Amino acid sequence: MSIKGISEVVRLPRLGKIRLGVKKETDSGTPYPSPTDYFVCPEEVRKVFGEKPRELRIMFPTNDQSQWAGQYLRCYSASRGLICRGDGETAIARVDIRTGEIAGRDAAETELSEIRCNPHSCAYYGRGQCRRVMNLQFLLPDCPGFGVYQLDTSSFHSIVNVNSSLELISGICGRLSMIPLSLKLVEQEVQPEGRRKTVRVLSPVSYTHLTLPTN
């Protein structure tokens, strides 16, 4: 027997976060994110992979990609946290009951409501308050502990690279769980708005010692 809406929910125990940058401050003391060319890891991970690793040996815990590679458009408010999460067509947003608009700081009564989601016409997306985010969770089998580490990325190229690699691995192996993989942070040349520049992105998840199915 199961309870709809509860029994199928799977929450993976999270041991920590791995980041793709550090916080710095301007001369006036305003904090801002600064990307790094290495994974910024907790102490227990640095003990295994070094102080500034550019490659991590990982595994995914299950075959259900939605459990560890969630991808949404997310809008945050300084006063309310996450106020809207969408997929480009529909979204669940916290709205002001009185106005029907996404709730601001002064909204007295709010509720969660389904709204249309269109990043091309969304004012929040246009000014950078809403952005695409992949929450990638994985095991680090060389590190102590029972659980996953989470890495968040809003990079279009990183998200496409990871999704493409997962599709390839699943097609070849028939599964995604517990396969030894390598996650790398590499330089890639891109052309946003027609101008070439080099950015650091997650590479396609490469695999080693992979046994192909015989059937």
Side-chain angles (χ1 to χ4, degrees), residues 8 97 131 159 165 179 188 193 198 204 214:
E8 69 271 21
I97 293 178
R131 60 177 185 165
I159 294 173
S165 295
I179 297 175
Q188 180 173 322
E193 300 177 355
T198 299
T214 57

Side-chain angles (χ1 to χ4, degrees), residues 40-75:
V40 181
C41 302
E43 181 180 0
E44 70 273 14
V45 179
R46 297 199 302 272
K47 287 181 179 179
V48 175
F49 292 100
E51 286 298 312
K52 297 181 178 181
R54 297 183 182 180
E55 180 176 355
L56 300 172
R57 294 183 295 276
I58 72 170
M59 290 180 178
F60 293 117
T62 70
N63 286 318
D64 187 349
Q65 189 174 337
S66 67
Q67 294 175 353
W68 41 262
Q71 302 162 56
Y72 291 99
L73 292 162
R74 296 175 180 265
C75 182

Side-chain angles (χ1 to χ4, degrees), residues 77-80 83 94-99 101-110 124:
S77 161
S79 59
R80 297 182 181 272
I83 55 174
R94 183 161 296 281
V95 301
D96 186 328
I97 293 178
R98 183 178 63 85
T99 65
E101 301 294 327
I102 292 180
R105 180 180 58 185
D106 299 327
E109 294 184 274
T110 67
Y124 292 92

Side-chain angles (χ1 to χ4, degrees), residues 57 69 101 149 160 167 185:
R57 294 183 295 276
E101 301 294 327
Y149 287 85
V160 170
E167 184 75 16
L185 190 60

